Amino acid sequence: EPEVTQTPSHQVTQMGQEVILRCVPISNHLYFYWYRQILGQKVEFLVSFYNNEISEKSEIFDDQFSVERPDGSNFTLKIRSTKLEDSAMYFCASRGQNYGYTFGSGTRLTVV
Amino acid sequence: DQQVKQNSPSLSVQEGRISILNCDYTNSMFDYFLWYKKYPAEGPTFLISISSIKDKNEDGRFTVFLNKSAKHLSLHIVPSQPGDSAVYFCAARADAGNMLTFGGGTRLMVKP
């Protein structure tokens, strides 16, 4: 069964550093998403991406965040200057023309 | 913002019995609902979905019921198995391509 692949599985970074979280969506999917889950809290929407541009973003997705699909296969989330409160599980998801959203296994980001 | 709520943080059920997980929503623009299962350190795994034009969808042991007038949906698992023990999230979407709004999750424990 096709999978959404995320790397790394765990990233530890110092506060103020930049991190890039990587995702390989399912190859024929058209819609791409980033979500995050802070420990003990809900899964929260960050951003959706379609046709090489952001289609929707939440209040969480401020100027410190950016997304890119640099080569037609990878889908990346960059956090420019990490804060302690950015520590969370970050999930990438993709969706085809139907309504089936497929999530990756997540990247645990720990900001110290 | 509590547009999707799962009021029971946990549920314990005996193996072989029915598990009923509930979800309430407030946004009348939601037209598509999904249930996800999540194990620790993994991404959400899609279980079953329902469109707002239906009131029931069944897939094997899993049935989702939607009561639009009450803005309530439920997931029935019968018979419950120990491998069903996980956190279950309901999610809702307002229109095509848009984000999913998740509930807070219900931890299901199925005892042998």
Side-chain angles (χ1 to χ4, degrees):
Chain A
E1 190 168 326
E3 287 183 343
V4 173
T5 305
Q6 290 187 243
T7 55
S9 57
H10 192 186
Q11 174 88 45
V12 181
T13 188
Q14 288 206 323
M15 192 169 55
Q17 295 296 304
E18 174 184 286
V19 292
I20 298 176
L21 310 183
R22 301 181 193 280
C23 170
V24 179
I26 293 173
S27 60
N28 61 349
H29 280 187
L30 303 174
Y31 301 88
F32 312 108
Y33 306 85
W34 284 100
Y35 287 78
R36 79 173 185 189
Q37 186 181 27
I38 294 171
L39 186 65
Q41 298 186 23
K42 286 187 177 187
V43 177
E44 300 173 291
F45 169 76
L46 291 178
V47 65
S48 60
F49 193 85
Y50 170 71
N51 202 24
N52 286 319
E53 61 183 21
I54 291 173
S55 50
E56 190 166 1
K57 60 183 181 180
S58 71
E59 293 175 352
I60 303 167
F61 195 87
D62 62 21
D63 291 343
Q64 294 298 313
F65 291 86
S66 62
V67 288
E68 210 176 30
R69 196 152 188 258
D71 56 12
S73 62
N74 290 288
F75 179 51
T76 61
L77 174 70
K78 182 192 290 187
I79 309 174
R80 210 178 330 274
S81 176
T82 49
K83 304 184 286 285
L84 293 175
E85 54 264 38
D86 293 328
S87 295
M89 283 290 289
Y90 286 80
F91 296 106
C92 173
S94 68
R95 179 173 83 82
Q97 288 286 15
N98 63 19
Y99 296 150
Y101 296 76
T102 302
F103 283 80
S105 296
T107 293
R108 179 174 298 283
L109 176 65
T110 303
V111 182
V112 297
Chain B
D1 180 7
Q2 296 276 336
Q3 293 191 68
V4 179
K5 288 179 71 171
Q6 293 175 254
N7 289 317
S8 298
S10 65
L11 175 68
S12 183
V13 171
Q14 204 67 35
E15 181 179 7
R17 296 292 189 91
I18 185 170
S19 296
I20 301 176
L21 298 114
N22 293 303
C23 179
D24 297 292
Y25 63 96
T26 56
N27 188 344
S28 57
M29 298 302 291
F30 288 145
D31 64 356
Y32 195 72
F33 304 88
L34 307 91
W35 282 95
Y36 282 86
K37 176 180 178 179
K38 187 179 179 303
Y39 294 113
E42 293 186 14
T45 303
F46 172 75
L47 274 177
I48 193 168
S49 61
I50 189 166
S51 164
S52 60
I53 62 173
K54 294 187 173 183
D55 56 17
K56 178 182 174 181
N57 189 26
E58 192 171 353
D59 183 2
R61 296 186 298 116
F62 302 93
T63 303
V64 56
F65 295 92
L66 175 63
N67 182 334
K68 280 184 66 179
S69 60
K71 294 191 173 68
H72 177 83
L73 64 154
S74 60
L75 174 68
H76 292 210
I77 307 172
V78 55
S80 302
Q81 300 171 354
D84 295 330
S85 298
V87 178
Y88 288 78
F89 292 95
C90 70
R93 197 204 62 198
D95 59 50
N98 270 359
M99 65 181 192
L100 295 179
T101 301
F102 281 82
T106 297
R107 181 178 302 280
L108 174 65
M109 292 161 284
V110 181
K111 298 178 180 177

